[in-house]
């Protein structure tokens, strides 16, 4: 199985001719999409979220980050918000699990051993074993932990990451070099049975085939009675592909990976130009929001 699929052809996005668009669910990736390159949330975010809440529109962050990290980022507005964490493997609302798709026992240890072999061969790589309670790492050096802390608030350094007592949702690998050069190809055997998704220039994730952001979005749509025509989605990288296909209102930010730009119906301004909020405000005609 290839590491990523061929994107769908570019399609047009519906436009609201009279009044605001009938949007009930807005899902956005975080890094490279909602957040700017400095990892900062956009100005007016809390104002926009309050306006969406008043209109009954559910705003849903969808990220490779862990749930604890997302909940902290959105603490001022987290009540009632659905968080799609761990690239769709863990979905939580108000601290209550909605769904999860953990790896079978034995898979994570195999990946950890693969990473150990890569490191022994000279690749500057480390594994993050992502559980429901915390993320677990064997590497304890400062540069690696600095990268881990950006996405995993709850993390522990352990002596043996193959012996974790937790439900493991995914294993994320961070390569200080280009992840597609050595680390991603080393996971080819796992791609036959699992998803191997490059989620950034230095990150690659291994999850169940059924665990991705698109599956989480479609489940939310079914449970809430929301259609793809009432769903707006924003993304920038290959792990956003399936969720873009779950929405009629699908946008790639201008800085997106070329394959994501081909998959999305439209391209909006970049993450550094507040593209997500500007697009939401325009489509829903939010009053008094200067972006």
């Amino acid at each position: 199985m290839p590491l990523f699929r061929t994107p769908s052809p570019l399609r047009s996005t519906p436009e609201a001719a009279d009044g605001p668009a009938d949007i009930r669910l807005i899902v956005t990736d975080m890094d490279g999409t909602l957040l700017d390159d400095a990892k900062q949330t956009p100005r007016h975010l809390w104002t926009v979220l309050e306006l969406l809440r008043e209109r009954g529109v559910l705003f849903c962050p969808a990220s490779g980050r862990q749930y604890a990290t997302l909940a902290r980022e959105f603490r001022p507005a987290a009540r009632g918000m659905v968080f799609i964490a761990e690239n769709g493997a863990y979905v939580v609302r108000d601290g209550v699990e909605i769904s999860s798709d953990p790896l079978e026992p034995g898979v994570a240890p195999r990946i950890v051993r693969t990473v150990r072999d890569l490191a022994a061969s000279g690749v500057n790589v480390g594994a993050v074993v992502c559980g429901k309670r915390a993320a677990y790492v064997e590497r304890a050096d400062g540069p690696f932990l600095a990268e881990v802390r950006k996405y995993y608030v709850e993390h522990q350094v352990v002596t043996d990451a193959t012996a974790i007592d937790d439900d493991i949702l995914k294993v994320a690998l961070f390569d200080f070099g280009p992840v597609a050069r050595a680390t991603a190809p080393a996971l080819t055997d796992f791609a036959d049975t699992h998803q191997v998704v490059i989620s950034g220039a230095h990150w690659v994730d291994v999850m169940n085939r059924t665990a991705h952001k698109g599956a989480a979005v479609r489940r939310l749509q079914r449970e809430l009675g929301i259609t793809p025509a009432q769903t707006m989605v924003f993304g920038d990288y290959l792990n956003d592909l399936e969720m873009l296909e779950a929405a009629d209102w699908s946008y790639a930010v201008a800085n997106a990976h070329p394959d994501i730009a081909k998959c999305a119906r439209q391209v909006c301004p970049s993450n550094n130009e507040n593209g997500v909020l500007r697009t939401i405000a325009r489509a829903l005609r939010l009053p008094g929001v200067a972006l």
Side-chain angles (χ1 to χ4, degrees):
M1 180 180 178
L3 294 184
F4 20 84
R5 299 183 289 109
T6 302
S8 302
L10 184 67
R11 303 158 296 172
S12 61
T13 296
E15 293 293 341
D18 300 310
D22 178 26
I23 300 298
R24 298 275 310 284
L25 173 64
I26 297 175
V27 185
T28 181
D29 172 59
M30 291 286 288
D31 299 279
T33 304
L34 180 67
L35 305 183
D36 63 20
D37 287 349
K39 306 295 184 183
Q40 299 298 307
T41 54
R43 291 179 60 239
H44 306 295
L45 174 62
W46 312 117
T47 299
V48 169
L49 293 184
E50 183 58 32
L51 290 171
L52 294 177
R53 189 187 300 273
E54 291 173 359
R55 292 195 182 188
V57 179
L58 180 62
F59 183 88
C60 178
S63 175
R65 296 175 178 225
Q66 69 180 173
Y67 165 65
T69 305
L70 293 173
R72 184 186 69 170
E73 190 81 42
F74 287 90
R75 186 177 295 132
R79 179 179 55 84
M81 188 178 291
V82 174
F83 294 97
I84 297 176
E86 308 289 5
N87 277 330
Y90 197 37
V91 183
V92 181
R93 187 174 197 173
D94 293 331
V96 178
E97 178 181 318
I98 294 177
S99 66
S100 63
D101 196 348
L103 293 167
E104 293 182 1
V107 175
R110 286 175 51 214
I111 301 169
V112 170
R113 287 190 283 270
T114 298
V115 173
R116 290 173 180 171
D117 291 342
L118 277 169
S121 72
V123 179
N124 194 359
V125 63
V128 184
V129 180
C130 305
K132 289 184 179 180
R133 295 194 301 271
Y136 308 91
V137 299
E138 292 180 343
R139 283 187 62 164
D141 57 286
F144 180 73
L145 288 181
E147 297 298 331
V148 171
R149 292 189 187 105
K150 294 177 184 178
Y151 310 103
Y152 302 96
V153 171
E154 297 291 340
H155 65 273
Q156 300 176 19
V157 178
V158 297
T159 56
D160 185 2
T162 68
I164 302 299
D165 182 20
D166 197 350
D167 290 331
I168 305 305
L169 302 162
K170 78 172 194 284
V171 180
L173 283 61
F174 180 81
D175 187 332
F176 282 89
V179 74
R181 181 174 57 198
T183 297
L187 300 171
T188 301
D189 289 346
F190 296 97
D192 291 336
T193 54
H194 294 77
Q195 283 202 86
V196 179
V197 183
I198 294 176
S199 56
H202 301 280
W203 287 96
V204 60
D205 297 336
V206 183
M207 306 173 292
N208 287 337
R209 278 190 176 167
T210 50
H212 50 72
K213 295 179 183 181
V217 171
R218 292 186 188 279
R219 177 165 181 168
L220 277 178
Q221 289 170 330
R222 290 194 301 269
E223 292 188 356
L224 300 176
I226 295 173
T227 68
Q230 296 171 312
T231 304
M232 179 178 284
V233 170
F234 298 87
D236 80 306
Y237 220 81
L238 299 168
N239 59 330
D240 299 322
L241 178 65
E242 290 89 353
M243 74 172 184
L244 289 171
E245 294 175 338
D248 285 4
W249 297 77
S250 64
Y251 292 87
V253 285
N255 53 290
H257 187 285
D259 286 348
I260 292 301
K262 293 175 184 176
C263 172
R265 291 177 183 257
Q266 293 290 340
V267 175
C268 69
S270 77
N271 64 320
N272 290 322
E273 299 172 296
N274 203 2
V276 172
L277 294 193
R278 287 169 63 185
T279 302
I280 292 171
R282 183 178 68 249
L284 275 69
R285 303 190 183 180
L286 298 181
V289 179
L291 300 173

